[in-house]
Amino acid sequence: GQTLGRVAARRRAQNGTMVVKYDKCAFSEFNIFPGHGMKFVRRDGTPLMVITRKCKSLMNQRKKPAKLTWTQRWRIMHKKGLAETSGKKKTRRVVKVQRAIVGTSADEIKKLRNQKPELRSAAREAALKEVKTRSKEKKAEKVKSKSSASAKQPKQMKQKGGKGSKMKGSQR
């Protein structure tokens, strides 16, 4: 018995700290050291350690510890006091990667990006001119086809009135 006590005392002297067993408050999650707090036993037999009357009262009123700013649960939920324990996580730099689009490859897109604005605008104007000439040609073809079709077929008279030529009223 005595030798074990001496060994434990020697260990304490070496570490410089004494190991103390403590419980956590069932409501506030504060540390409850020996000789403090109250043990509260529920109907189902689960023992709960509570640090103060205030905690016991609030627990009996079925208050949520997460809604009270002084409890550890609230501090955890709202990320308070974490700065001392660990440094901020470094955010990774986002590197933009150019992906290929269906018709063109990534290299072609890079070339277009690096082009001078004058070249780009000139290419755009050339493309617009080409589109305009095509549309003019199509209109000219349509006009020709209409004129040739109208020359071949004589115009037919259209009937006025909806759903055939039936007259309204008693005439049938």
Side-chain angles (χ1 to χ4, degrees):
Q2 271 188 332
T3 55
L4 286 173
R6 284 185 199 148
V7 171
R10 218 179 286 135
R11 278 196 190 135
R12 271 188 241 125
Q14 285 172 352
N15 293 345
T17 55
M18 198 171 96
V19 178
V20 179
K21 190 181 182 300
Y22 57 84
D23 293 314
K24 290 269 186 191
C25 175
F27 187 80
S28 65
E29 296 180 34
F30 292 154
N31 295 338
I32 304 171
F33 292 96
H36 297 274
M38 295 172 269
K39 189 171 268 187
F40 173 72
V41 183
R42 279 199 181 140
R43 283 183 187 159
D44 62 349
T46 54
L48 302 171
M49 284 295 288
V50 185
I51 197 163
T52 56
R53 275 187 200 173
K54 178 181 177 179
C55 289
K56 184 181 177 187
S57 171
L58 290 165
M59 194 169 67
N60 288 339
Q61 292 173 51
R62 298 185 186 233
K63 299 287 183 206
K64 290 180 181 161
K67 289 188 175 182
L68 300 168
T69 55
W70 55 271
T71 60
Q72 286 298 317
R73 178 65 29 217
W74 185 89
R75 292 182 67 79
I76 291 165
M77 296 261 300
H78 294 84
K79 295 180 177 139
K80 304 293 175 189
L82 299 174
E84 304 95 42
T85 55
S86 63
K88 268 198 169 183
K89 289 181 182 177
K90 289 181 181 178
T91 53
R92 291 178 69 191
R93 272 278 173 100
V94 179
V95 180
K96 283 194 175 181
V97 179
Q98 185 64 53
R99 289 199 193 140
I101 303 171
V102 177
T104 57
S105 67
D107 295 330
E108 288 176 34
I109 293 169
K110 277 186 182 176
K111 284 178 189 172
L112 287 169
R113 266 238 176 100
N114 298 333
Q115 256 183 8
K116 289 184 180 176
E118 299 91 40
L119 288 170
R120 204 180 298 165
S121 61
R124 191 183 299 126
E125 285 173 17
L128 283 169
K129 282 180 183 176
E130 192 180 325
V131 169
K132 283 181 182 177
T133 53
R134 273 193 210 154
S135 63
K136 283 181 183 177
E137 287 172 8
K138 281 185 181 177
K139 281 185 181 178
E141 282 181 35
K142 279 186 180 178
V143 170
K144 284 182 184 177
S145 62
K146 276 189 179 179
S147 62
S148 62
S150 61
K152 288 177 186 174
Q153 295 177 356
K155 287 185 180 177
Q156 292 180 349
M157 294 295 289
K158 288 186 181 178
Q159 292 179 341
K160 287 191 176 180
K163 295 188 179 179
S165 61
K166 291 181 182 176
M167 299 289 287
K168 285 188 180 177
S170 59
Q171 296 175 356
R172 282 194 181 186

